Amino acid sequence: MKFLLVPLRFLISPVFIAAVNLMILFPMVLSIADIVQSVNRHIDTHEPVTIASTIALIMIGWGVALEERGVIRKRFGVSGGADEERQVQIDEMCHEYGVAQLVLGLFAEIAVAMISLPDRIVNTIGYEHTLLTVSVILISIGALIQLRHIFVLIASLWRRKNVRERPA
């Protein structure tokens, strides 16, 4: 059965992960800009709350996937290869960056969820833009971490290439 999963190996490669990071980074940046404009204009918060909530949900989902790269590798049957030490380092790195995305996404979601609660439960009247600002700050930090993760993944490929080129 594991032989059916072997073609899916590319899903856990550093190049694929960096590409997905980049694809997620674009809507994060566009959302940050849109939410900041909305907060500065003090317009209706419904759409910015939806945008922040959606981006936070994407961060949470991608964070969970990243942090479980090691488990996914085992399920795909691609652990224990010749470069296992390097793969374990990438697993650990993905775990750290994944946890960061997960936690930042969760707290960004909590901030905007407070706005969505009825005021009889949590009265946020007058604090909507403050909570949106907190959420957008957390999403911005997540975007910076996402960008750094892209560079670290690309650097790990370059290091691997240099290690291979050295004579034994």
Side-chain angles (χ1 to χ4, degrees):
M1 183 69 171
K2 285 188 180 183
F3 72 93
L4 294 174
L5 298 175
V6 172
L8 299 176
R9 252 189 258 191
F10 76 94
L11 294 174
I12 56 169
S13 73
V15 172
F16 182 81
I17 293 170
V20 173
N21 277 341
L22 190 60
M23 287 189 305
I24 292 171
L25 185 61
F26 282 119
M28 286 175 83
V29 171
L30 294 173
S31 297
I32 292 164
D34 192 81
I35 295 168
V36 167
Q37 286 178 349
S38 298
V39 168
N40 286 338
R41 285 192 247 135
H42 290 287
I43 61 172
D44 178 47
T45 58
H46 179 70
E47 187 177 28
V49 164
T50 302
I51 292 168
S53 181
T54 303
I55 291 300
L57 182 63
I58 291 168
M59 290 170 65
I60 293 165
W62 183 237
V64 170
L66 280 176
E67 75 172 332
E68 295 301 328
R69 182 184 183 267
V71 173
I72 294 168
R73 270 187 341 107
K74 288 176 187 165
R75 290 285 175 230
F76 281 1
V78 294
S79 58
D83 66 340
E84 184 63 18
E85 184 179 326
R86 181 179 158 276
Q87 292 298 327
V88 167
Q89 288 174 345
I90 294 171
D91 292 346
E92 290 170 2
M93 174 189 18
C94 285
H95 182 80
E96 291 173 15
Y97 282 93
V99 167
Q101 289 299 326
L102 173 62
V103 170
L104 290 167
L106 282 170
F107 282 107
E109 179 63 26
I110 289 169
V112 292
M114 298 293 282
I115 297 168
S116 300
L117 283 172
D119 289 333
R120 67 182 177 276
I121 296 172
V122 176
N123 188 353
T124 58
I125 294 176
Y127 296 103
E128 297 93 344
H129 291 96
T130 303
L131 289 166
L132 268 170
T133 301
V134 168
S135 183
V136 83
I137 288 169
L138 294 170
I139 292 169
S140 299
I141 293 167
L144 292 172
I145 290 170
Q146 192 94 329
L147 184 63
R148 187 176 192 306
H149 192 209
I150 292 168
F151 285 116
V152 171
L153 285 167
I154 300 298
S156 76
L157 292 172
W158 183 75
R159 275 184 256 138
R160 181 180 85 179
K161 192 180 235 183
N162 282 346
V163 170
R164 266 197 246 149
E165 291 174 359
R166 288 187 203 152

